[in-house]
Amino acid sequence: MSKIEIDKQSGTCFGVARAISRAEEELKKGGPLYCIGDIVHNNIEVERLAKMGLITINHEEFKKLKNVRVFLRAHGEPPSTYEIAKKNNIELIDASCPVVLGLQKRVKKKYVMRDNDDTQIVIYGKKGHAEVNGLLGQTDESAIIIESKDEIDILDFSKNITLFSQTTKPLDGFQEVGDLIKSRMQGDAVFEFYDTICRQVSNRVPNMHEFAQKHDVIIFVAGEKSSNGKVLFAECKKHNPNSYIIHSPEQLNEKMFNEKDSIGICGATSTPMWQMEEIAQRISVMIPKTEIEKATF
Ligand code: SF4
């Protein structure tokens, strides 16, 4: 008899859960509701909300809209989005995550109050990611984005540096980047280092290790574009080489479960619990004599 367990600590983080329920509430009111970018980095959830009427647009399409309702997702937006909305009489339904808004404020404050124009504001994050674009906007696009420690050579270590992080980057990577920059600072230049990683992601890491070790095989469910999905899956893989990342139930394959008695299902902060439950059901149909452990969420 094989057992399937869904990780009780997986499921959407509070920022994403809050955005999804806000969108559902607004959609119930009827009329068109536009969303800039995918509401969540999870195609299946995007499609579910699209069926309810949510229209996903990009920034170019947003600029052309007038007199409509536009939804802002948890990642947050740069100041230019709010300016365009005001100009075009657009009603914004702002579901930016409070954690992201707090980070935007800190970056903006540092930018406005920096001691001299030479201070380099550096963001450890993914270039082009919506949250990072929102942060860049707080600095009039002047912040420097570093994706990994290999990119720090573009910094001028003889001038002040202030380092922030995208909320979903890995803690160890951030620490490494911070330590390296610190070791290369020159003269009187000041280095400030702010750990702005969201604990909704990093606090899941120790649990992921334990969960991954506990099972023979791990099925990690995440959207293809999910940054924290990549981070958390890497943590699973570190502790259980029989870990697979899937984006939809169609990717399940019987070979994944050959002679595996204990199957664990977990996911990213953008993966709703209902998707993991659906995956568990599919596996129980695929593998005879499988039992889904009842969990109290
Ligand atoms: S991971 Fe953290 S910062 Fe990002 S949406 Fe979730 S709660 Fe907000």
PDB file of all heavy atoms in Angstrom, residues 222-247:
ATOM      1  N   ALA A 222       4.338  23.559  -9.347  1.00  0.00           N
ATOM      2  CA  ALA A 222       4.568  25.012  -9.459  1.00  0.00           C
ATOM      3  C   ALA A 222       4.368  25.458 -10.895  1.00  0.00           C
ATOM      4  O   ALA A 222       4.543  24.667 -11.832  1.00  0.00           O
ATOM      5  CB  ALA A 222       5.979  25.365  -9.022  1.00  0.00           C
ATOM      6  N   GLY A 223       4.011  26.718 -11.066  1.00  0.00           N
ATOM      7  CA  GLY A 223       3.913  27.288 -12.411  1.00  0.00           C
ATOM      8  C   GLY A 223       5.317  27.453 -13.000  1.00  0.00           C
ATOM      9  O   GLY A 223       6.286  27.590 -12.252  1.00  0.00           O
ATOM     10  N   GLU A 224       5.394  27.432 -14.346  1.00  0.00           N
ATOM     11  CA  GLU A 224       6.714  27.528 -14.992  1.00  0.00           C
ATOM     12  C   GLU A 224       7.439  28.819 -14.665  1.00  0.00           C
ATOM     13  O   GLU A 224       8.660  28.866 -14.626  1.00  0.00           O
ATOM     14  CB  GLU A 224       6.556  27.420 -16.516  1.00  0.00           C
ATOM     15  CG  GLU A 224       6.345  25.996 -16.974  1.00  0.00           C
ATOM     16  CD  GLU A 224       5.992  25.911 -18.432  1.00  0.00           C
ATOM     17  OE1 GLU A 224       6.926  25.931 -19.236  1.00  0.00           O
ATOM     18  OE2 GLU A 224       4.787  25.834 -18.754  1.00  0.00           O
ATOM     19  N   LYS A 225       6.671  29.915 -14.429  1.00  0.00           N
ATOM     20  CA  LYS A 225       7.322  31.217 -14.221  1.00  0.00           C
ATOM     21  C   LYS A 225       7.550  31.532 -12.744  1.00  0.00           C
ATOM     22  O   LYS A 225       7.971  32.628 -12.414  1.00  0.00           O
ATOM     23  CB  LYS A 225       6.440  32.321 -14.819  1.00  0.00           C
ATOM     24  CG  LYS A 225       6.295  32.239 -16.325  1.00  0.00           C
ATOM     25  CD  LYS A 225       5.509  33.451 -16.800  1.00  0.00           C
ATOM     26  CE  LYS A 225       4.633  33.142 -17.986  1.00  0.00           C
ATOM     27  NZ  LYS A 225       3.535  34.089 -18.156  1.00  0.00           N
ATOM     28  N   SER A 226       7.248  30.601 -11.860  1.00  0.00           N
ATOM     29  CA  SER A 226       7.341  30.904 -10.427  1.00  0.00           C
ATOM     30  C   SER A 226       8.793  30.919  -9.940  1.00  0.00           C
ATOM     31  O   SER A 226       9.478  29.889  -9.955  1.00  0.00           O
ATOM     32  CB  SER A 226       6.542  29.870  -9.631  1.00  0.00           C
ATOM     33  OG  SER A 226       6.820  30.004  -8.263  1.00  0.00           O
ATOM     34  N   SER A 227       9.259  32.094  -9.495  1.00  0.00           N
ATOM     35  CA  SER A 227      10.640  32.214  -8.991  1.00  0.00           C
ATOM     36  C   SER A 227      10.810  31.416  -7.709  1.00  0.00           C
ATOM     37  O   SER A 227      11.771  30.670  -7.555  1.00  0.00           O
ATOM     38  CB  SER A 227      10.988  33.666  -8.651  1.00  0.00           C
ATOM     39  OG  SER A 227      10.971  34.444  -9.788  1.00  0.00           O
ATOM     40  N   ASN A 228       9.864  31.575  -6.771  1.00  0.00           N
ATOM     41  CA  ASN A 228      10.028  30.859  -5.499  1.00  0.00           C
ATOM     42  C   ASN A 228       9.850  29.364  -5.711  1.00  0.00           C
ATOM     43  O   ASN A 228      10.400  28.559  -4.962  1.00  0.00           O
ATOM     44  CB  ASN A 228       9.102  31.433  -4.421  1.00  0.00           C
ATOM     45  CG  ASN A 228       7.683  30.958  -4.574  1.00  0.00           C
ATOM     46  OD1 ASN A 228       7.339  29.864  -4.162  1.00  0.00           O
ATOM     47  ND2 ASN A 228       6.853  31.772  -5.206  1.00  0.00           N
ATOM     48  N   GLY A 229       9.100  28.980  -6.768  1.00  0.00           N
ATOM     49  CA  GLY A 229       8.957  27.560  -7.096  1.00  0.00           C
ATOM     50  C   GLY A 229      10.319  26.957  -7.421  1.00  0.00           C
ATOM     51  O   GLY A 229      10.649  25.860  -6.962  1.00  0.00           O
ATOM     52  N   LYS A 230      11.115  27.703  -8.179  1.00  0.00           N
ATOM     53  CA  LYS A 230      12.452  27.197  -8.549  1.00  0.00           C
ATOM     54  C   LYS A 230      13.315  27.066  -7.298  1.00  0.00           C
ATOM     55  O   LYS A 230      14.044  26.091  -7.121  1.00  0.00           O
ATOM     56  CB  LYS A 230      13.107  28.134  -9.565  1.00  0.00           C
ATOM     57  CG  LYS A 230      12.421  28.070 -10.913  1.00  0.00           C
ATOM     58  CD  LYS A 230      13.130  28.907 -11.973  1.00  0.00           C
ATOM     59  CE  LYS A 230      12.357  28.888 -13.279  1.00  0.00           C
ATOM     60  NZ  LYS A 230      11.272  29.866 -13.368  1.00  0.00           N
ATOM     61  N   VAL A 231      13.229  28.073  -6.428  1.00  0.00           N
ATOM     62  CA  VAL A 231      14.041  28.077  -5.200  1.00  0.00           C
ATOM     63  C   VAL A 231      13.638  26.897  -4.305  1.00  0.00           C
ATOM     64  O   VAL A 231      14.486  26.120  -3.845  1.00  0.00           O
ATOM     65  CB  VAL A 231      13.856  29.411  -4.422  1.00  0.00           C
ATOM     66  CG1 VAL A 231      14.508  29.354  -3.051  1.00  0.00           C
ATOM     67  CG2 VAL A 231      14.413  30.581  -5.224  1.00  0.00           C
ATOM     68  N   LEU A 232      12.327  26.745  -4.085  1.00  0.00           N
ATOM     69  CA  LEU A 232      11.868  25.702  -3.155  1.00  0.00           C
ATOM     70  C   LEU A 232      12.062  24.301  -3.746  1.00  0.00           C
ATOM     71  O   LEU A 232      12.395  23.357  -3.023  1.00  0.00           O
ATOM     72  CB  LEU A 232      10.397  25.936  -2.772  1.00  0.00           C
ATOM     73  CG  LEU A 232      10.147  27.195  -1.923  1.00  0.00           C
ATOM     74  CD1 LEU A 232       8.650  27.433  -1.738  1.00  0.00           C
ATOM     75  CD2 LEU A 232      10.826  27.109  -0.572  1.00  0.00           C
ATOM     76  N   PHE A 233      11.903  24.180  -5.073  1.00  0.00           N
ATOM     77  CA  PHE A 233      12.140  22.865  -5.680  1.00  0.00           C
ATOM     78  C   PHE A 233      13.613  22.460  -5.528  1.00  0.00           C
ATOM     79  O   PHE A 233      13.923  21.304  -5.239  1.00  0.00           O
ATOM     80  CB  PHE A 233      11.733  22.857  -7.161  1.00  0.00           C
ATOM     81  CG  PHE A 233      12.073  21.554  -7.843  1.00  0.00           C
ATOM     82  CD1 PHE A 233      11.451  20.381  -7.446  1.00  0.00           C
ATOM     83  CD2 PHE A 233      13.047  21.498  -8.829  1.00  0.00           C
ATOM     84  CE1 PHE A 233      11.783  19.162  -8.035  1.00  0.00           C
ATOM     85  CE2 PHE A 233      13.378  20.283  -9.427  1.00  0.00           C
ATOM     86  CZ  PHE A 233      12.744  19.111  -9.030  1.00  0.00           C
ATOM     87  N   ALA A 234      14.516  23.429  -5.706  1.00  0.00           N
ATOM     88  CA  ALA A 234      15.955  23.124  -5.558  1.00  0.00           C
ATOM     89  C   ALA A 234      16.235  22.600  -4.146  1.00  0.00           C
ATOM     90  O   ALA A 234      17.052  21.692  -3.953  1.00  0.00           O
ATOM     91  CB  ALA A 234      16.782  24.378  -5.836  1.00  0.00           C
ATOM     92  N   GLU A 235      15.520  23.146  -3.164  1.00  0.00           N
ATOM     93  CA  GLU A 235      15.697  22.688  -1.776  1.00  0.00           C
ATOM     94  C   GLU A 235      15.216  21.242  -1.622  1.00  0.00           C
ATOM     95  O   GLU A 235      15.839  20.447  -0.937  1.00  0.00           O
ATOM     96  CB  GLU A 235      14.935  23.603  -0.804  1.00  0.00           C
ATOM     97  CG  GLU A 235      15.466  25.027  -0.751  1.00  0.00           C
ATOM     98  CD  GLU A 235      16.898  25.109  -0.228  1.00  0.00           C
ATOM     99  OE1 GLU A 235      17.310  24.231   0.549  1.00  0.00           O
ATOM    100  OE2 GLU A 235      17.602  26.061  -0.624  1.00  0.00           O
ATOM    101  N   CYS A 236      14.102  20.915  -2.276  1.00  0.00           N
ATOM    102  CA  CYS A 236      13.589  19.526  -2.222  1.00  0.00           C
ATOM    103  C   CYS A 236      14.589  18.576  -2.855  1.00  0.00           C
ATOM    104  O   CYS A 236      14.910  17.528  -2.307  1.00  0.00           O
ATOM    105  CB  CYS A 236      12.291  19.406  -3.019  1.00  0.00           C
ATOM    106  SG  CYS A 236      10.872  20.002  -2.157  1.00  0.00           S
ATOM    107  N   LYS A 237      15.074  18.976  -4.013  1.00  0.00           N
ATOM    108  CA  LYS A 237      15.979  18.119  -4.795  1.00  0.00           C
ATOM    109  C   LYS A 237      17.277  17.841  -4.014  1.00  0.00           C
ATOM    110  O   LYS A 237      17.843  16.756  -4.081  1.00  0.00           O
ATOM    111  CB  LYS A 237      16.259  18.837  -6.125  1.00  0.00           C
ATOM    112  CG  LYS A 237      16.969  18.030  -7.161  1.00  0.00           C
ATOM    113  CD  LYS A 237      16.005  17.290  -8.054  1.00  0.00           C
ATOM    114  CE  LYS A 237      16.773  16.449  -9.061  1.00  0.00           C
ATOM    115  NZ  LYS A 237      15.996  15.387  -9.645  1.00  0.00           N
ATOM    116  N   LYS A 238      17.720  18.878  -3.274  1.00  0.00           N
ATOM    117  CA  LYS A 238      18.937  18.728  -2.454  1.00  0.00           C
ATOM    118  C   LYS A 238      18.778  17.595  -1.450  1.00  0.00           C
ATOM    119  O   LYS A 238      19.710  16.877  -1.152  1.00  0.00           O
ATOM    120  CB  LYS A 238      19.141  20.033  -1.661  1.00  0.00           C
ATOM    121  CG  LYS A 238      20.370  20.842  -2.027  1.00  0.00           C
ATOM    122  CD  LYS A 238      20.589  21.904  -0.967  1.00  0.00           C
ATOM    123  CE  LYS A 238      20.424  23.296  -1.521  1.00  0.00           C
ATOM    124  NZ  LYS A 238      20.415  24.336  -0.487  1.00  0.00           N
ATOM    125  N   HIS A 239      17.567  17.467  -0.927  1.00  0.00           N
ATOM    126  CA  HIS A 239      17.339  16.503   0.157  1.00  0.00           C
ATOM    127  C   HIS A 239      16.658  15.230  -0.298  1.00  0.00           C
ATOM    128  O   HIS A 239      16.550  14.284   0.477  1.00  0.00           O
ATOM    129  CB  HIS A 239      16.545  17.172   1.291  1.00  0.00           C
ATOM    130  CG  HIS A 239      17.377  18.195   1.997  1.00  0.00           C
ATOM    131  ND1 HIS A 239      18.089  17.896   3.123  1.00  0.00           N
ATOM    132  CD2 HIS A 239      17.675  19.473   1.680  1.00  0.00           C
ATOM    133  CE1 HIS A 239      18.769  18.971   3.491  1.00  0.00           C
ATOM    134  NE2 HIS A 239      18.538  19.940   2.625  1.00  0.00           N
ATOM    135  N   ASN A 240      16.197  15.207  -1.538  1.00  0.00           N
ATOM    136  CA  ASN A 240      15.616  13.977  -2.078  1.00  0.00           C
ATOM    137  C   ASN A 240      15.804  13.994  -3.594  1.00  0.00           C
ATOM    138  O   ASN A 240      15.094  14.698  -4.311  1.00  0.00           O
ATOM    139  CB  ASN A 240      14.121  13.881  -1.719  1.00  0.00           C
ATOM    140  CG  ASN A 240      13.547  12.552  -2.152  1.00  0.00           C
ATOM    141  OD1 ASN A 240      14.069  11.903  -3.064  1.00  0.00           O
ATOM    142  ND2 ASN A 240      12.482  12.128  -1.498  1.00  0.00           N
ATOM    143  N   PRO A 241      16.782  13.203  -4.097  1.00  0.00           N
ATOM    144  CA  PRO A 241      17.044  13.220  -5.552  1.00  0.00           C
ATOM    145  C   PRO A 241      15.847  12.748  -6.369  1.00  0.00           C
ATOM    146  O   PRO A 241      15.747  13.058  -7.559  1.00  0.00           O
ATOM    147  CB  PRO A 241      18.237  12.278  -5.726  1.00  0.00           C
ATOM    148  CG  PRO A 241      18.569  11.738  -4.381  1.00  0.00           C
ATOM    149  CD  PRO A 241      17.655  12.305  -3.354  1.00  0.00           C
ATOM    150  N   ASN A 242      14.926  12.005  -5.751  1.00  0.00           N
ATOM    151  CA  ASN A 242      13.714  11.567  -6.466  1.00  0.00           C
ATOM    152  C   ASN A 242      12.634  12.637  -6.395  1.00  0.00           C
ATOM    153  O   ASN A 242      11.497  12.365  -6.025  1.00  0.00           O
ATOM    154  CB  ASN A 242      13.159  10.276  -5.850  1.00  0.00           C
ATOM    155  CG  ASN A 242      14.052   9.100  -6.111  1.00  0.00           C
ATOM    156  OD1 ASN A 242      14.643   8.974  -7.186  1.00  0.00           O
ATOM    157  ND2 ASN A 242      14.193   8.255  -5.107  1.00  0.00           N
ATOM    158  N   SER A 243      13.003  13.860  -6.692  1.00  0.00           N
ATOM    159  CA  SER A 243      12.032  14.961  -6.664  1.00  0.00           C
ATOM    160  C   SER A 243      11.765  15.408  -8.093  1.00  0.00           C
ATOM    161  O   SER A 243      12.698  15.557  -8.889  1.00  0.00           O
ATOM    162  CB  SER A 243      12.587  16.159  -5.878  1.00  0.00           C
ATOM    163  OG  SER A 243      12.745  15.821  -4.530  1.00  0.00           O
ATOM    164  N   TYR A 244      10.488  15.603  -8.412  1.00  0.00           N
ATOM    165  CA  TYR A 244      10.101  16.040  -9.757  1.00  0.00           C
ATOM    166  C   TYR A 244       9.273  17.311  -9.645  1.00  0.00           C
ATOM    167  O   TYR A 244       8.402  17.408  -8.789  1.00  0.00           O
ATOM    168  CB  TYR A 244       9.242  14.976 -10.452  1.00  0.00           C
ATOM    169  CG  TYR A 244       9.933  13.641 -10.596  1.00  0.00           C
ATOM    170  CD1 TYR A 244       9.788  12.657  -9.623  1.00  0.00           C
ATOM    171  CD2 TYR A 244      10.738  13.369 -11.699  1.00  0.00           C
ATOM    172  CE1 TYR A 244      10.424  11.430  -9.743  1.00  0.00           C
ATOM    173  CE2 TYR A 244      11.383  12.149 -11.835  1.00  0.00           C
ATOM    174  CZ  TYR A 244      11.223  11.178 -10.845  1.00  0.00           C
ATOM    175  OH  TYR A 244      11.857   9.969 -10.964  1.00  0.00           O
ATOM    176  N   ILE A 245       9.533  18.253 -10.559  1.00  0.00           N
ATOM    177  CA  ILE A 245       8.685  19.451 -10.598  1.00  0.00           C
ATOM    178  C   ILE A 245       7.694  19.276 -11.747  1.00  0.00           C
ATOM    179  O   ILE A 245       8.075  18.861 -12.852  1.00  0.00           O
ATOM    180  CB  ILE A 245       9.535  20.749 -10.730  1.00  0.00           C
ATOM    181  CG1 ILE A 245       8.633  21.985 -10.621  1.00  0.00           C
ATOM    182  CG2 ILE A 245      10.349  20.782 -12.017  1.00  0.00           C
ATOM    183  CD1 ILE A 245       9.402  23.285 -10.366  1.00  0.00           C
ATOM    184  N   ILE A 246       6.438  19.518 -11.473  1.00  0.00           N
ATOM    185  CA  ILE A 246       5.437  19.446 -12.554  1.00  0.00           C
ATOM    186  C   ILE A 246       4.593  20.722 -12.538  1.00  0.00           C
ATOM    187  O   ILE A 246       4.427  21.355 -11.505  1.00  0.00           O
ATOM    188  CB  ILE A 246       4.534  18.186 -12.455  1.00  0.00           C
ATOM    189  CG1 ILE A 246       3.700  18.202 -11.168  1.00  0.00           C
ATOM    190  CG2 ILE A 246       5.314  16.900 -12.578  1.00  0.00           C
ATOM    191  CD1 ILE A 246       2.555  17.198 -11.212  1.00  0.00           C
ATOM    192  N   HIS A 247       4.116  21.085 -13.718  1.00  0.00           N
ATOM    193  CA  HIS A 247       3.311  22.297 -13.847  1.00  0.00           C
ATOM    194  C   HIS A 247       1.827  21.973 -14.033  1.00  0.00           C
ATOM    195  O   HIS A 247       0.980  22.841 -13.900  1.00  0.00           O
ATOM    196  CB  HIS A 247       3.816  23.141 -15.023  1.00  0.00           C
ATOM    197  CG  HIS A 247       5.302  23.293 -15.036  1.00  0.00           C
ATOM    198  ND1 HIS A 247       5.990  23.847 -13.987  1.00  0.00           N
ATOM    199  CD2 HIS A 247       6.246  22.931 -15.951  1.00  0.00           C
ATOM    200  CE1 HIS A 247       7.283  23.840 -14.253  1.00  0.00           C
ATOM    201  NE2 HIS A 247       7.465  23.285 -15.433  1.00  0.00           N
TER     202      HIS A 247
END
